Amino acid sequence: MAFGLGVLRGMSITMSRVIKTYIGDFKHLGKPHDPKTLAERQSVRGSGIFTIQYPEEKLKPQENFRLIPMLLYEPLVDEKTGKPMIDEKTGKEVVASERCTSCGICSKVCPPQCIWIVRATKDGKPQPKSAEFYIDIDVCMNCGMCAEFCPFDSIKMDHDY
Amino acid sequence: MAVTAPTAPIETKPATVNDPQVIAEKIKLQYPDAVESASAQGIVVKNNRLPDVARYLHDSPDLAFDYLHNLTSVDWQDRFEVVYHLSSLVRGGAPLVLKVNAAREDPHVPSLVPVYRGADFQEREVYDMMGIRFDGHPYLRRILLWDGFVGHPLRKDYHEPYYEEDKKPFGSRWDKGHHVIAEDRNPWHDNVQYPANFDSTTYQPPRDQIRTIGIEEAKAKKLRTDKIVLNIGPQHPSTHGVLRLKVTIDGETIIAVEPVLGYLHRNHEKIGERNTFLQNMPYTDRLDYVTSMANNLAYAVAVEKLLGIKPPERAEYIRVIMAELTRFVNHILAIGFIYNDLGAFYTPVVYGFEERELILDLFEAASGSRMMCNYIRFGGVARDLPDGFLDKLQYLVNERFPRVTDTLETYLVKNEIFNARARNVGILPRDVAINYSAAGPVLRASGIKYDVRRAEPYSIYDRFEFDIPTGTIGDMHDRFTIRIAEMRASLSILKQAVKQIPAGEIQTGKKNYQARAPKGDAYGRAENPKGELGFYLVGDGGPNPYRYHVRSPAFINLGALNEMARGYKVADLIVILGSVDITMGEVDR
């Protein structure tokens, strides 16, 4: 075998990648960042290279995707408009009720121990809700165990990346 | 450097049990006073007779315990216990456990380095973490921590900065709730402990000595050149993490290589002892961050051994699928990175990343995260496979990946530049590979047909037909091609698994977040892409492990680097390192 043939073969494979990428680009000319285009090029049958201009564009996350835990609540709804009421001081939605019963499982299962809960009390008796609930994002390791083990589906993992 | 002739690979026979009681009787015939006791948990050997017993086990032709898997220690508060896991690569089976006791005050244990060179790094680690001195060790010095460090952190009476309680969950988080946000604690103020009378402006680290291995040879040759110590790293761009190599060179020829470790050390094992068994699962992701699914599996295998539970069929198949996909991912990256180290910057790696992307998408769909999967639970998996997962996988393993593997082979293995640089370079002879406890592809490339999946089948690996590829002489070329052959073997397992996977449960019993382990110890191991990943666990009846040790394949393979690189040129060193395939997250732990 002539010396250098293996190197040339490698080059030809690189060249074919370049061509595949351009074929893909021309196929979706004019709408390179259409969600349909991205889904097709991202799929297992896709070929060639493409770029997503993050953070302007984002791929749709998978359903199981987990990022940061969040506590779910029911907002207080304005009866006239049917929209959640906004607290004027803070600009946030007014919380009507939380699903959390302050059972403490999430704080016991959390590996970096980043969840603190203070149980609510009424007349000295413990109530099945939390007075304070902290998730320290600095030390959260995004493992998703709090959401997995929460018996009341009160914690879910965020999809906003 | 002489090239040894290719020989037939050693074949490992499937599992035969190394019964401690039978072997203890054999030892007693030879050394009547050496054995203190023998039970299913292992043989307790008298401290001062350990080298004799190890030498006998190693040399005796019918026992032939030629391989030291794991060496670790347990702090029992009134004494220390050093634990050895030995096995015979010819016979396979579960490893034999040897235990040696040492006094709590000023502990000494004879070193096993003269018998098993693989004990070198591991004994240094035990000295570093537990403060047990190994008499006769050639270079007993801290390995993961810096030389001025005070104390031995894995001792039970050592408390780290921000110490709250011995075991999680901490009571302060719930019930007695108060909150301190982590950011409010000043990280530069009170989390560093210095020795007494320490002054950073005048501190001089102990003088580095050049390791004497190899220097005698140079003297004998009457070379007229001076030896230079060259520091490669820390943070060399093509090393695989933050690593420093202290290389003694004579001209351009390497005389000795000493890896300087610990830049990524975070005492994973102490963290593991604070955690409950389940809480530790996401931490195992961070050991070798390329192969997190396989780490999860190895940890689950070890804990299930301790708890005595067995996952249902479907979960076993899911685990095997995930582990083999991980092997494919790891090897496709490893061969890309070897090219990177050779100077073919990033093109082969990026081609590897392209396929890896598809597998990571599958991991994300199943587990929710691409790299830090945290997917496997004790007695099952976290959640079932999502819709469409198996269809995608079917296409990948039957059509796309075989095609990709063939392409890789055509343009990478047949490349003349690669062949010129990789053939007969970085040879690790067979007996040296065994003696240094090399594992995984590094061991198999030297011609030893040893694979934990065959030798001590875990999960359901005994059901699948697959090849165990072996190399011939153990050079870089063998270590490269063996990875491509293993990718093929993984694909064949995946094809069978996708075809056979049944429907059904994915979890045995109810999910328990505070599983209590009985008293006792267990060594669970799995064939990770980088080698044998083992977890040594000691349970004390509670939900937290009393002792948690990781047998890290990359760490122990790195111990053989000196043997591989000695006698070759400096320019080959980085490629030889690349062919070992290390991840510093696992080496430094």
Coordinates of all heavy atoms in Angstrom, one line a residue, chain B residues 427-472:
Chain B
I427 N 4.8 -0.3 25.4 CA 4.5 -1.7 25.7 C 4.4 -2.0 27.2 O 5.2 -1.6 28.0 CB 5.6 -2.6 25.0 CG1 5.5 -2.5 23.5 CG2 5.3 -4.1 25.4 CD1 6.6 -3.2 22.8
L428 N 3.3 -2.6 27.5 CA 3.1 -3.1 28.9 C 3.0 -4.6 28.8 O 2.0 -5.2 28.4 CB 1.8 -2.6 29.4 CG 1.5 -2.8 30.9 CD1 2.5 -2.1 31.8 CD2 0.1 -2.4 31.3
P429 N 4.1 -5.3 29.2 CA 4.1 -6.8 29.1 C 3.1 -7.4 30.0 O 2.6 -6.8 30.9 CB 5.5 -7.2 29.5 CG 6.3 -5.9 29.5 CD 5.4 -4.8 29.7
R430 N 2.7 -8.6 29.6 CA 1.6 -9.3 30.3 C 1.8 -9.4 31.8 O 0.9 -9.1 32.6 CB 1.4 -10.7 29.7 CG 0.3 -11.4 30.3 CD -0.3 -12.4 29.4 NE 0.7 -13.3 28.9 CZ 0.4 -14.4 28.1 NH1 -0.9 -14.6 27.9 NH2 1.3 -15.2 27.7
D431 N 3.0 -9.9 32.2 CA 3.2 -10.2 33.7 C 3.2 -8.8 34.4 O 2.8 -8.7 35.6 CB 4.4 -11.0 33.9 CG 5.6 -10.4 33.2 OD1 5.4 -9.8 32.1 OD2 6.8 -10.6 33.6
V432 N 3.8 -7.8 33.8 CA 3.8 -6.5 34.4 C 2.4 -5.9 34.6 O 2.0 -5.4 35.6 CB 4.7 -5.5 33.6 CG1 4.7 -4.2 34.3 CG2 6.1 -6.1 33.5
A433 N 1.6 -6.1 33.6 CA 0.2 -5.6 33.6 C -0.5 -6.3 34.8 O -1.3 -5.6 35.5 CB -0.5 -5.9 32.3
I434 N -0.3 -7.6 35.0 CA -1.0 -8.3 36.1 C -0.5 -7.8 37.4 O -1.2 -7.4 38.3 CB -0.8 -9.8 35.9 CG1 -1.5 -10.3 34.7 CG2 -1.5 -10.5 37.1 CD1 -1.2 -11.7 34.4
N435 N 0.8 -7.7 37.5 CA 1.5 -7.3 38.8 C 1.1 -5.9 39.2 O 1.0 -5.6 40.4 CB 3.0 -7.5 38.6 CG 3.6 -7.7 40.0 OD1 4.4 -6.9 40.5 ND2 3.3 -8.8 40.6
Y436 N 0.9 -5.0 38.2 CA 0.5 -3.6 38.5 C -1.0 -3.5 38.7 O -1.5 -2.3 38.7 CB 1.0 -2.7 37.5 CG 2.4 -2.2 37.8 CD1 3.5 -2.9 37.4 CD2 2.6 -1.0 38.4 CE1 4.8 -2.5 37.7 CE2 3.9 -0.5 38.7 CZ 5.0 -1.3 38.4 OH 6.2 -0.8 38.7
S437 N -1.8 -4.6 38.7 CA -3.2 -4.5 38.8 C -3.9 -3.7 37.8 O -4.9 -3.0 38.1 CB -3.6 -4.0 40.2 OG -3.0 -4.8 41.2
A438 N -3.3 -3.6 36.6 CA -4.0 -2.8 35.5 C -5.3 -3.5 35.2 O -5.5 -4.7 35.5 CB -3.1 -2.9 34.3
A439 N -6.3 -2.8 34.8 CA -7.6 -3.3 34.6 C -8.2 -2.9 33.3 O -7.8 -1.9 32.7 CB -8.6 -3.0 35.8
G440 N -9.3 -3.6 32.9 CA -10.0 -3.1 31.7 C -9.2 -3.3 30.4 O -8.4 -4.2 30.3
P441 N -9.5 -2.3 29.5 CA -8.8 -2.4 28.2 C -7.3 -2.5 28.3 O -6.6 -3.1 27.5 CB -9.2 -1.1 27.5 CG -10.5 -0.7 28.2 CD -10.4 -1.2 29.6
V442 N -6.7 -1.8 29.3 CA -5.2 -1.8 29.5 C -4.7 -3.3 29.7 O -3.7 -3.7 29.2 CB -4.8 -0.9 30.6 CG1 -3.3 -0.9 30.7 CG2 -5.3 0.5 30.3
L443 N -5.5 -4.0 30.6 CA -5.1 -5.3 30.9 C -5.3 -6.2 29.7 O -4.5 -7.1 29.4 CB -5.9 -5.8 32.1 CG -5.7 -7.2 32.7 CD1 -4.4 -7.3 33.4 CD2 -6.8 -7.7 33.6
R444 N -6.4 -6.1 29.1 CA -6.8 -7.0 28.0 C -5.9 -6.8 26.8 O -5.6 -7.7 26.0 CB -8.2 -6.8 27.6 CG -9.2 -7.4 28.6 CD -10.6 -7.5 28.1 NE -11.2 -6.2 28.1 CZ -11.8 -5.7 29.1 NH1 -11.9 -6.3 30.3 NH2 -12.4 -4.5 29.1
A445 N -5.4 -5.5 26.6 CA -4.5 -5.2 25.5 C -3.2 -6.0 25.7 O -2.5 -6.3 24.7 CB -4.3 -3.7 25.4
S446 N -2.9 -6.3 26.9 CA -1.6 -7.0 27.1 C -1.8 -8.5 27.0 O -0.9 -9.3 27.3 CB -1.1 -6.7 28.5 OG -0.8 -5.3 28.6
G447 N -3.0 -8.9 26.6 CA -3.2 -10.3 26.2 C -3.8 -11.2 27.3 O -3.7 -12.4 27.3
I448 N -4.5 -10.5 28.3 CA -5.2 -11.3 29.3 C -6.7 -11.2 29.1 O -7.2 -10.1 29.1 CB -4.8 -10.8 30.7 CG1 -3.3 -11.0 30.9 CG2 -5.5 -11.6 31.8 CD1 -2.6 -9.7 31.2
K449 N -7.3 -12.4 29.0 CA -8.7 -12.4 28.7 C -9.5 -12.3 30.0 O -10.0 -13.3 30.4 CB -9.0 -13.6 27.9 CG -10.3 -13.4 27.0 CD -10.4 -14.6 26.0 CE -11.6 -14.3 25.1 NZ -11.6 -15.3 24.0
Y450 N -9.4 -11.2 30.7 CA -10.1 -11.1 31.9 C -11.1 -10.0 31.9 O -10.8 -8.8 31.6 CB -9.1 -10.8 33.1 CG -9.8 -10.8 34.4 CD1 -10.0 -12.0 35.1 CD2 -10.1 -9.6 35.0 CE1 -10.6 -12.0 36.3 CE2 -10.7 -9.6 36.3 CZ -11.0 -10.8 36.9 OH -11.6 -10.8 38.1
D451 N -12.4 -10.3 32.1 CA -13.4 -9.3 32.1 C -14.4 -9.7 33.2 O -14.8 -10.8 33.4 CB -14.1 -9.4 30.8 CG -15.1 -8.3 30.5 OD1 -15.8 -7.9 31.5 OD2 -15.1 -7.7 29.5
V452 N -14.7 -8.7 34.1 CA -15.6 -9.0 35.2 C -16.9 -9.5 34.8 O -17.5 -10.3 35.4 CB -15.7 -7.7 36.1 CG1 -16.6 -8.0 37.3 CG2 -14.4 -7.2 36.5
R453 N -17.3 -9.1 33.6 CA -18.6 -9.5 33.1 C -18.6 -11.1 32.9 O -19.7 -11.7 32.9 CB -18.9 -8.8 31.8 CG -19.3 -7.4 31.9 CD -19.4 -6.7 30.6 NE -18.2 -6.6 29.8 CZ -18.1 -6.2 28.6 NH1 -19.2 -5.8 27.9 NH2 -17.0 -6.1 28.0
R454 N -17.4 -11.6 32.6 CA -17.3 -13.1 32.5 C -16.8 -13.7 33.8 O -17.3 -14.8 34.2 CB -16.3 -13.4 31.4 CG -16.9 -13.5 30.0 CD -17.7 -14.8 29.8 NE -18.7 -14.5 28.8 CZ -18.3 -14.5 27.5 NH1 -17.1 -14.7 27.1 NH2 -19.2 -14.3 26.6
A455 N -15.9 -13.1 34.4 CA -15.2 -13.7 35.6 C -16.2 -13.8 36.8 O -16.2 -14.8 37.5 CB -14.0 -12.9 36.0
E456 N -17.0 -12.8 37.0 CA -17.9 -12.8 38.1 C -19.2 -12.1 37.6 O -19.4 -11.0 38.0 CB -17.4 -12.2 39.4 CG -18.2 -12.4 40.6 CD -17.8 -11.5 41.8 OE1 -16.9 -10.7 41.6 OE2 -18.5 -11.6 42.8
P457 N -20.0 -12.8 36.8 CA -21.1 -12.0 36.1 C -22.0 -11.4 37.1 O -22.5 -12.0 38.0 CB -21.8 -13.1 35.3 CG -20.8 -14.3 35.2 CD -20.0 -14.2 36.5
Y458 N -22.2 -10.1 36.9 CA -23.2 -9.3 37.7 C -24.4 -9.0 36.8 O -24.3 -9.3 35.6 CB -22.5 -8.1 38.3 CG -21.9 -7.2 37.2 CD1 -22.6 -6.1 36.7 CD2 -20.6 -7.4 36.7 CE1 -22.1 -5.3 35.7 CE2 -20.1 -6.6 35.8 CZ -20.8 -5.6 35.3 OH -20.2 -4.8 34.3
S459 N -25.4 -8.4 37.4 CA -26.6 -8.2 36.6 C -27.0 -9.4 35.8 O -27.0 -10.5 36.3 CB -26.4 -6.9 35.7 OG -27.6 -6.4 35.3
I460 N -27.2 -9.3 34.5 CA -27.6 -10.4 33.7 C -26.6 -10.7 32.6 O -27.0 -11.2 31.5 CB -29.0 -10.3 33.1 CG1 -29.2 -8.9 32.4 CG2 -30.1 -10.5 34.1 CD1 -30.4 -8.8 31.6
Y461 N -25.3 -10.4 32.8 CA -24.4 -10.5 31.7 C -24.1 -12.0 31.4 O -23.6 -12.3 30.3 CB -23.1 -9.8 32.1 CG -23.1 -8.4 31.8 CD1 -23.1 -7.4 32.8 CD2 -23.1 -8.0 30.5 CE1 -23.2 -6.1 32.5 CE2 -23.1 -6.6 30.2 CZ -23.1 -5.7 31.2 OH -23.2 -4.4 30.9
D462 N -24.5 -12.9 32.2 CA -24.3 -14.3 31.9 C -25.2 -14.8 30.8 O -25.1 -15.9 30.3 CB -24.4 -15.2 33.1 CG -25.6 -14.8 34.0 OD1 -26.3 -13.9 33.6 OD2 -25.9 -15.5 35.0
R463 N -26.2 -14.0 30.4 CA -27.2 -14.4 29.4 C -26.7 -14.0 28.0 O -27.3 -14.5 27.0 CB -28.5 -13.8 29.6 CG -29.2 -14.3 30.9 CD -30.5 -13.7 30.9 NE -30.9 -13.7 32.3 CZ -32.0 -13.1 32.8 NH1 -32.8 -12.5 31.9 NH2 -32.4 -13.1 34.0
F464 N -25.8 -13.1 27.9 CA -25.5 -12.6 26.5 C -24.3 -13.3 25.9 O -23.3 -13.6 26.7 CB -25.3 -11.1 26.6 CG -26.5 -10.3 27.1 CD1 -26.5 -9.7 28.3 CD2 -27.6 -10.2 26.3 CE1 -27.6 -9.0 28.8 CE2 -28.7 -9.5 26.7 CZ -28.7 -8.9 28.0
E465 N -24.3 -13.4 24.6 CA -23.1 -13.9 23.9 C -22.3 -12.6 23.5 O -22.8 -11.7 22.8 CB -23.6 -14.6 22.6 CG -24.3 -15.8 22.8 CD -23.4 -17.0 23.0 OE1 -22.3 -17.0 22.3 OE2 -23.6 -17.8 23.9
F466 N -21.1 -12.6 23.9 CA -20.2 -11.5 23.4 C -18.8 -11.9 23.5 O -18.4 -12.8 24.2 CB -20.5 -10.2 24.2 CG -20.2 -10.3 25.7 CD1 -19.0 -9.8 26.2 CD2 -21.1 -10.8 26.5 CE1 -18.7 -9.9 27.5 CE2 -20.9 -10.9 27.9 CZ -19.7 -10.4 28.4
D467 N -18.0 -11.2 22.7 CA -16.5 -11.5 22.6 C -15.8 -10.7 23.7 O -16.3 -9.6 24.0 CB -15.9 -11.1 21.3 CG -16.5 -11.9 20.2 OD1 -16.9 -13.0 20.5 OD2 -16.5 -11.5 19.0
I468 N -14.7 -11.2 24.2 CA -13.8 -10.4 25.0 C -12.6 -10.2 24.1 O -11.8 -11.1 24.1 CB -13.5 -11.0 26.3 CG1 -14.8 -11.2 27.1 CG2 -12.6 -10.2 27.1 CD1 -14.6 -12.0 28.4
P469 N -12.4 -9.1 23.5 CA -11.2 -8.9 22.6 C -10.0 -8.8 23.5 O -10.0 -8.3 24.6 CB -11.5 -7.6 21.9 CG -12.5 -6.9 22.7 CD -13.3 -7.9 23.5
T470 N -8.9 -9.3 22.9 CA -7.6 -9.2 23.6 C -6.6 -8.7 22.6 O -6.7 -8.9 21.4 CB -7.1 -10.5 24.2 OG1 -7.2 -11.5 23.2 CG2 -7.8 -10.9 25.5
G471 N -5.5 -8.0 23.1 CA -4.4 -7.6 22.3 C -3.4 -8.7 22.3 O -3.5 -9.7 22.9
T472 N -2.2 -8.4 21.7 CA -1.2 -9.4 21.6 C 0.0 -8.9 22.5 O 0.4 -9.6 23.4 CB -0.7 -9.6 20.2 OG1 -0.6 -8.4 19.6 CG2 -1.7 -10.5 19.5

